[in-house]
């Protein structure tokens, strides 16, 4: 079918009607998640198996196979959902496909072994919407992802896509800006600046042409919601940008996207081309007389380019150094012209607000933060993936109800939000060790317990008040195995590496902080180092040119605040309580060893000795503390103890160890 | 979209093709360099000079951009490319253990290429598939939930597909 150029809203409606009519019928639809997570788990092989199986069974005319964008539950991939019944199959292998086709598609029965089983209640849950991971979510932005092929503009139109655009084009730009202001939408990139206000300033700014820019340089480690949106629903971002451009009076748009996201680049480019062919981009959009087009620009991989002025420099083909913002980018941004830069998720919210109205949008969330926010829930949590929740939900609900808590029964320690620059920690302040640190820090009295920060509502201002921040939406959960000195060192190392080097406090200050943190993590620190870290942090925050430096010391300050005792343990006792800092740790095998040999194979120095089904021992003189054995042991038998204490642990293990009788042997004896 | 080339073309033609694909627009400099790098697996100095000439930009600006962004390499890269994600989510799931092991088994540090020119290995700050950490990509194929045992197997697979000998090895 050659695409038809739509020259009026009526033609768009007619097209939508035709597409919907063509889809009606009793077709079974098999959707397979083809987001990056599921692709990595092998969803392509599953899709191929479906193609073959459907062809063989001559089912192609009654069953439609659709490769969709990310469903969010990456932990359980590859995901297959059978519509209209919404039967949710997880961890599907190519060999399972025949079973699904025979039993579910032909026979109408469920394949039990592929259904989701609640780890806590052991209950089997057949439908996507009833799974706890999805139940508490409010998938306004992400909802369409699982239902459409991102490369098919028709799928988006059928689901109501591009219906906000004609509505917006009928309004005046001023009315449109007023509507966005009324909705209370705030920037989803981390800053939380009111979007309507930004648009209004840019509209008023003198100078032509004006630019709209989509920031898809998602450099924050631990955040990938923008990637999934661009990969899974690029048209929602395009529609948002067209509406924004109309409001501001711009005719040129740019999407600055990371080159590390090849699928996002491809899907976005395909979507832009289709929108152009349909008359939704280009000259005289839908016969309104408004012109607008979008260009895709691939970034070069520099974290600092997420900063607005650095991003614009990079768009101009220069090195991505930020500039001081005495003059805002809405007045003089790209090529010194008025520019509006919004994040991917912010743009995707725009069509929704126009379609359903500002009042509807403003009814979701808290007083100061409206709508939903997408979080990337990762790290030491059972259900990793992307979750979209209404503002105002508590972190406890996100981590425990949706995320299912920490795996292997380990103790929750902290959750890091806001990416490295601004990366603050939210901790369980009722935890004993944290309480001790807070008392030492002078935050609370010894007999008074602080309110648990996990019960804070997710809200721009509430989080900021508690010394944390919303950020772009990375939520990295850490458990008892994470060392906070190591975490601080990790972030400072990341930031000093990514510092563009333009201003001195960030370039030299962070490097010095890294030297000190490295010293502490290697057991060579002094108590005075803590004071130096705090002093340096203050100077860097006060004097850096941009927010990369301005917020860089946050991880150090927040770990010092909540986990000061861990720093002191490293400095005074030469001990890493979490057993992470290599120089302070010895690996040892305790009496729970089953002699299964799994640990000795990956050992690079052959330091693990022991016969099968007998207690294994780590030769302390050979061990290089690489942690390979700790990673593979299924019985938690490898202990990470204070350096030098490994032999003592193993000597005790030798006394206590008993041969393990496995169930199979018992059966054989009986 | 990268311009498609064949080996028969001269450096001048290849660079010229890429530059004209982007209509020599100065905004496209980063993408031009990305496409040049895709052709040669690094940015040869001669190519940079040609880019400067054809885009009418000072060589200093080209050099500045080529050394500022992480994507670019002025040194040749290996035939196979391994990338370990060291983003926060991967870090707390023991990505450093993977990096250590890779450095040991390849005998090179992150950012270097093996002497036979076969494998380059580098770390990257985040690949955006955090739910699968620790994550390693080998020639753009994603390997999630990486362990040392899986790593060794994947390395064997990668080495297995290499040709019996390479000119570089013969020299050595």
């Amino acid at each position: 079918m050659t695409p038809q150029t739509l020259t009026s809203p009526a033609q768009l409606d007619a097209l939508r009607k035709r597409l919907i009519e063509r889809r009606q019928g009793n077709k079974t639809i098999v959707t397979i998640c083809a987001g990056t997570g599921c692709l990595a788990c092998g969803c392509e092989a599953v899709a191929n198996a479906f193609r073959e199986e459907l062809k063989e069974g001559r089912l192609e005319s009654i069953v439609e196979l659709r490769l969709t964008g990310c469903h969010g539950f990456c932990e359980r991939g590859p995901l297959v959902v059978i519509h209209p019944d919404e039967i949710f199959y997880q961890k599907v292998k190519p060999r399972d496909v025949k079973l699904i086709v025979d039993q579910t598609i032909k026979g109408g029965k469920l394949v039990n072994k592929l259904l989701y089983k609640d780890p806590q209640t052991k209950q089997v849950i057949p439908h996507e919407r009833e799974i706890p991971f999805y139940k508490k979510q409010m998938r306004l932005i992400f909802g369409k992802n699982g239902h459409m092929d991102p490369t098919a503009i028709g799928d988006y139109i059928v689901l109501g896509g591009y219906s906000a655009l004609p509505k917006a084009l009928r309004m005046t730009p001023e009315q449109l800006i007023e509507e966005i202001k009324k909705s209370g939408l705030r920037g989803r990139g981390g800053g939380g600046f009111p979007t309507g206000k930004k648009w209004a300033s840019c509209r008023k700014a003198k100078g032509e042409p004006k630019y709209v820019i989509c920031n898809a340089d998602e450099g924050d480690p631990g955040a990938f919601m923008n990637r999934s949106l661009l990969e899974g629903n690029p048209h929602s971002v395009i529609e948002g940008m067209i509406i924004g451009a109309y409001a501001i009076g711009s005719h040129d748009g740019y999407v600055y996207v990371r080159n590390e996201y090849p699928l996002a680049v491809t899907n976005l480019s395909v979507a832009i081309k289709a929108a152009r062919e349909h008359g939704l981009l280009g000259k005289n959009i839908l016969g309104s007389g408004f012109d607008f087009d979008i260009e895709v620009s691939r970034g070069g991989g520099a974290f600092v380019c997420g900063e607005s002025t650095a991003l614009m420099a990079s768009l101009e083909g220069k090195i991505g150094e930020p500039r001081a913002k005495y003059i805002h980018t809405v007045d003089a941004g790209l090529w010194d012209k008025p520019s509006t830069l919004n994040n991917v998720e912010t743009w995707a919210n725009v069509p929704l607000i126009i379609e359903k109205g500002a009042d509807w949008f403003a009814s979701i969330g808290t007083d100061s933060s409206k709508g939903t926010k997408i979080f990337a829930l990762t790290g030491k949590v059972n259900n990793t993936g992307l979750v979209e929740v209404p503002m105002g939900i508590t972190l406890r609900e996100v981590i425990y109800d949706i995320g299912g808590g920490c795996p292997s029964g380990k103790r929750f320690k902290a959750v890091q939000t806001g990416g490295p620059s601004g990366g603050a920690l939210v901790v369980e302040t009722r935890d004993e060790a944290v309480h001790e640190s807070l008392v030492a820090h002078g935050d609370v009295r010894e007999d008074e317990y602080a309110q648990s920060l996990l019960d804070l509502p997710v809200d721009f201002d509430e989080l900021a008040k508690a010394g944390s921040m919303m950020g772009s939406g990375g939520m990295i959960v850490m458990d008892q195995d994470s060392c906070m000195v190591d975490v601080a060192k990790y972030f400072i190392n990341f930031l000093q590496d990514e510092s563009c080097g333009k201003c001195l406090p960030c370039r030299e200050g962070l490097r010095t902080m890294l030297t000190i943190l490295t010293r502490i993590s290697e057991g060579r620190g002094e108590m005075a180092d803590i004071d130096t870290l705090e002093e340096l942090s203050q100077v860097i925050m006060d004097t850096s040119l941009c927010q990369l430096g301005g917020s860089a010391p946050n991880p150090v300050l927040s770990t010092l605040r909540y986990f000061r005792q861990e720093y002191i343990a490293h400095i005074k006792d030469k001990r890493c309580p979490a057993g992470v800092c290599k120089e302070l740790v010895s690996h040892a095998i305790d009496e729970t060893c089953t002699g299964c040999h799994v640990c000795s194979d990956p050992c690079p120095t052959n330091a693990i000795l022991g016969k099968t089904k007998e207690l294994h021992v780590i030769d302390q003189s050979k061990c290089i503390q690489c942690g390979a054995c700790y990673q593979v042991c299924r019985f938690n038998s490898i202990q990470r103890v204070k350096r030098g204490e490994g032999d003592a642990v193993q000597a005790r293990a030798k006394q206590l160890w008993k041969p393990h009788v496995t169930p199979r042997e018992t059966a054989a004896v009986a | 979209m990268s311009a498609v080339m064949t080996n028969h073309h001269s450096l001048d033609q290849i660079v010229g093709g890429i530059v004209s694909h982007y209509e020599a627009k100065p905004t496209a400099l980063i993408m031009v360099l990305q496409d040049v790098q895709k052709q040669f697996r690094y940015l040869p100095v001669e190519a940079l000079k040609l880019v400067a000439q054809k885009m009418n930009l000072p060589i200093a600006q080209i050099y500045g951009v080529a050394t500022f962004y992480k994507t670019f390499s002025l040194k040749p890269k290996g035939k196979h490319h391994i990338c370990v994600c060291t983003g926060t989510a991967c870090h707390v799931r023991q990505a450093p253990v993977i990096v250590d092991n890779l450095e040991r088994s390849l005998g090179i540090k992150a950012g270097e290429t093996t002497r036979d020119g076969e494998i380059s290995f580098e770390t990257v700050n985040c690949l955006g598939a955090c739910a699968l950490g620790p994550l390693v990509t080998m020639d753009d194929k994603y390997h999630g939930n990486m362990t040392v045992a899986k790593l060794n197997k994947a390395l064997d697979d990668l080495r297995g597909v290499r040709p019996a000998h390479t000119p570089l090895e013969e020299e050595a």
Side-chain angles (χ1 to χ4, degrees), chain B:
Chain B
M1 249 25 70
S2 67
V4 182
M5 310 294 154
T6 66
N7 293 331
H8 309 299
H9 288 84
S10 69
L11 186 68
D12 190 89
Q13 280 171 309
I14 293 174
V15 174
I18 294 171
V19 170
S20 58
H21 178 78
Y22 293 101
E23 298 162 21
K25 275 193 276 193
T27 29
L29 177 59
I30 295 169
M31 290 191 280
V32 166
L33 294 181
Q34 279 166 354
D35 287 358
V36 171
Q37 175 153 305
K38 215 171 186 179
Q39 288 292 318
F40 305 102
R41 296 204 302 254
Y42 78 110
L43 295 173
V45 179
E46 292 72 28
L48 292 184
K49 285 181 187 158
L50 283 168
V51 170
Q53 191 195 325
K54 290 178 196 295
M55 293 184 77
N56 202 19
L57 290 170
I59 183 81
Q61 188 186 338
I62 314 277
Y63 185 76
V65 168
T67 50
F68 182 83
Y69 293 101
K70 287 260 155 73
T71 319
F72 301 122
S73 170
L74 299 179
K75 278 188 279 181
K77 286 193 183 175
K79 222 174 263 169
H80 298 295
H81 192 69
I82 302 178
C83 216
V84 182
C85 179
T86 53
T88 323
C90 290
H91 181 83
V92 301
R93 287 201 190 178
Q94 301 189 3
V97 174
I98 303 293
V99 174
D100 279 1
N101 266 279
L102 211 45
E103 287 186 340
R104 244 193 326 276
S105 37
L106 294 175
I108 52 172
K109 291 272 168 211
E112 295 176 352
T113 303
T114 51
R115 272 197 62 207
D116 58 8
E118 281 291 310
I119 299 175
S120 292
F121 148 55
E122 62 184 39
T123 58
V124 60
N125 283 333
C126 184
L127 286 165
C130 316
L132 302 170
L135 188 78
V136 177
T137 66
M138 294 187 176
D139 291 341
D140 293 333
K141 192 169 179 285
Y142 286 75
H143 299 266
N145 296 313
M146 193 45 96
T147 60
V148 174
K150 271 165 88 176
L151 179 75
N152 291 339
K153 199 188 160 292
L155 261 185
D156 287 346
D157 289 350
L158 192 73
R159 286 199 173 112
V161 296
R162 76 177 186 178
H165 68 277
T166 62
L168 264 172
E169 266 182 341
E170 275 174 358
E171 267 172 38

Side-chain angles (χ1 to χ4, degrees), chain A residues 5-8 279-292:
Chain A
T5 306
L6 307 165
T7 55
S8 70
L280 297 161
L281 276 179
K283 296 259 177 250
N284 194 14
I285 292 170
L286 291 178
S288 64
F290 172 64
D291 309 334
F292 178 67

Side-chain angles (χ1 to χ4, degrees), chain A residues 434-449:
Chain A
V434 174
H435 180 69
E436 248 175 67
S437 289
L438 285 174
V439 172
H441 197 253
D443 284 331
V444 292
R445 289 200 317 270
E446 204 166 329
D447 56 345
E448 135 195 276
Y449 273 81

Side-chain angles (χ1 to χ4, degrees), chain A residues 12 15-16 19-20 23 66 140-166 229 232-243 271 274-275 278 280 347-353 355:
Chain A
L12 175 65
L15 172 68
R16 193 190 321 277
L19 288 170
I20 292 173
R23 299 239 165 142
R66 198 179 289 163
L140 302 178
I141 310 287
F142 252 149
K144 289 189 179 113
N145 265 27
H147 295 275
M148 55 181 270
D149 174 352
T151 56
I153 190 169
D155 281 9
Y156 182 65
I157 293 176
V158 166
L159 293 169
Y162 287 113
S163 55
L165 180 60
L229 268 174
N233 193 354
H235 284 289
S236 65
V237 180
I238 296 172
E239 191 178 359
M241 286 179 76
I242 307 172
I243 296 171
H278 281 77
L280 297 161
W347 287 121
N349 266 292
V350 171
L352 208 66
I353 294 169
E355 193 191 330

